[in-house]
Amino acid sequence: MFAEAGARLGSLAKRVPDGETGVRKDWIFWQGAAVARASGLAPGGTRPLQGGYEFQLYRLAGSPADVEFGSLGYADVALASYREFARARDGGVLPAGTRFQVSLPTPLAVVLSFFEPDAVAAAWPFYESALLSELGRIAGGIPHDDLAVQWDIAAEICFVLEDPDMAAVIPMEVLTAAIARVSAAVPAAAELGLHLCYGDPGHQHVIEPKDTGLMVSFSNQLFAAIGRPVSWVHMPVPRSRDDAGYFAPLRDSKRPAGTELYLGLVHLTDGLDGARRRLAAAQQVVTDFGVATECGFGRRPPETVPALLDLHRDVAAAAGTP
């Protein structure tokens, strides 16, 4: 992965993740095992999700004081991958100055996915504490000026803010405060990024965004609440949206100076021609942005990755990205 990224993207990629391979390929699904190992929990029902996924749900078995999570696995894989990354960069495979990106789910994403609704509020602080312990280990083993941490913000959008009933229970202000709280644990010398996500189980959004309006509103609140610089924010672009109306709310973005915007308008299925159409629409509204896929490279056959990396390079050239 690092060799392919270095050879095909060079300095175009400021940060390179490890690809979330193996058991991590389905984003947070692998956290089901960590929840199952936790003490003080009991299995409940199940929840299906598009793409053939089904989550085992849990509830508290007794007192909240009995709940305790062990290792979640994030630190172990990040530290092992960083060693490979460092060897690749030191060997000239990646350009000097490239950072190692660690992408983490927000605590609420895992809690909403793996707990019964009436157990979410009680379980949330325990999983958050466990995830922050993982982040502490990551920050303790990777030089901070080599590290970039991205929060994958999907459940907050798909399952809360896009659902009026859930948004009344967990309003945007609560979500914003929670993300600001965990962002405070990212070391000052490390970069912080926000991936605003509509999911892609089965390579399809859980909900198709009508435009960038909700993401702009949410990110504006996050920029104001997070008490440190945000290095980038990413927003997806559905393959069918090559109209300026989708991007129009970006005019209201309060993105701070120094915070990069990445638009997920790269789709392998329609290649450079489709990306050019989405670029042209986006550039009617905003001009200073980078390009990406709408939801990373996960859940994709490995043999397709080189072509997708090449497409990023070609789209970046078409966009005039330096």
Side-chain angles (χ1 to χ4, degrees):
M1 167 64 182
F2 296 132
E4 292 286 355
R8 297 174 186 276
L9 298 179
S11 60
L12 284 173
K14 297 181 179 181
R15 312 155 192 101
V16 178
D18 70 349
E20 294 188 338
T21 56
V23 297
R24 296 177 296 141
K25 71 180 179 65
D26 291 315
W27 191 42
I28 60 172
F29 195 77
W30 74 304
Q31 286 298 284
V35 176
R37 291 192 301 267
S39 61
L41 303 178
T46 60
R47 176 183 296 123
L49 185 66
Q50 68 186 49
Y53 299 92
E54 186 171 54
F55 292 94
Q56 172 65 57
L57 302 181
Y58 293 84
R59 55 182 172 78
L60 272 62
S63 169
D66 298 330
V67 178
E68 184 175 353
F69 287 90
S71 170
L72 303 181
Y74 284 106
D76 291 338
V77 295
L79 295 174
S81 294
Y82 174 73
R83 290 191 288 271
E84 296 184 23
F85 167 88
R87 283 195 294 269
R89 193 184 55 187
D90 292 347
V93 173
L94 292 167
T98 305
R99 288 191 184 236
F100 179 69
Q101 179 176 315
V102 176
S103 299
L104 297 172
T106 59
L108 184 59
V110 174
V111 175
L112 279 179
S113 297
F114 289 102
F115 283 86
E116 297 279 6
D118 60 0
V120 167
W124 189 350
F126 294 100
Y127 187 84
E128 180 175 307
S129 177
L131 188 61
L132 289 179
S133 292
E134 299 283 315
L135 178 55
R137 284 188 58 209
I138 292 168
I142 298 177
H144 296 173
D145 58 0
D146 271 359
L147 178 62
V149 175
Q150 173 176 280
W151 294 119
D152 292 339
I153 305 170
E156 290 83 352
I157 293 175
C158 298
F159 303 130
V160 181
L161 296 177
E162 287 282 5
D163 181 338
D165 292 336
M166 281 295 292
V169 176
I170 313 177
M172 187 180 290
E173 293 76 13
V174 172
L175 302 175
T176 301
I179 295 170
R181 187 167 60 241
V182 294
S183 296
V186 177
E191 290 187 332
L192 171 66
L194 308 174
H195 165 39
L196 303 179
C197 183
Y198 276 79
D200 78 335
H203 291 295
Q204 181 179 349
H205 284 318
V206 175
I207 296 172
E208 288 294 342
K210 66 177 183 179
D211 56 30
T212 53
L214 177 60
M215 292 181 282
V216 167
S217 177
F218 194 18
S219 62
N220 285 346
Q221 286 207 21
L222 288 168
F223 296 144
I226 293 173
R228 53 151 295 150
V230 175
S231 296
W232 75 92
V233 60
H234 169 278
M235 299 181 186
V237 181
R239 186 169 60 246
S240 62
R241 299 306 298 268
D242 55 9
D243 57 291
Y246 180 80
F247 304 96
L250 287 168
R251 294 191 177 98
D252 298 322
S253 175
K254 296 179 174 60
R255 179 165 51 102
T259 299
E260 300 163 356
L261 171 64
Y262 289 89
L263 295 177
L265 50 75
V266 177
H267 293 266
L268 191 58
T269 47
D270 65 3
L272 185 58
D273 288 343
R276 285 184 185 276
R277 293 194 300 272
R278 291 182 286 275
L279 273 173
Q283 287 172 336
Q284 295 180 51
V285 178
V286 62
T287 56
D288 57 332
F289 61 87
V291 299
T293 59
E294 64 182 4
C295 198
F297 284 31
R299 300 155 297 284
R300 175 178 300 282
E303 62 271 17
T304 67
V305 169
L308 188 53
L309 290 169
D310 288 344
L311 180 58
H312 277 73
R313 181 194 60 226
D314 295 342
V315 176
T321 301

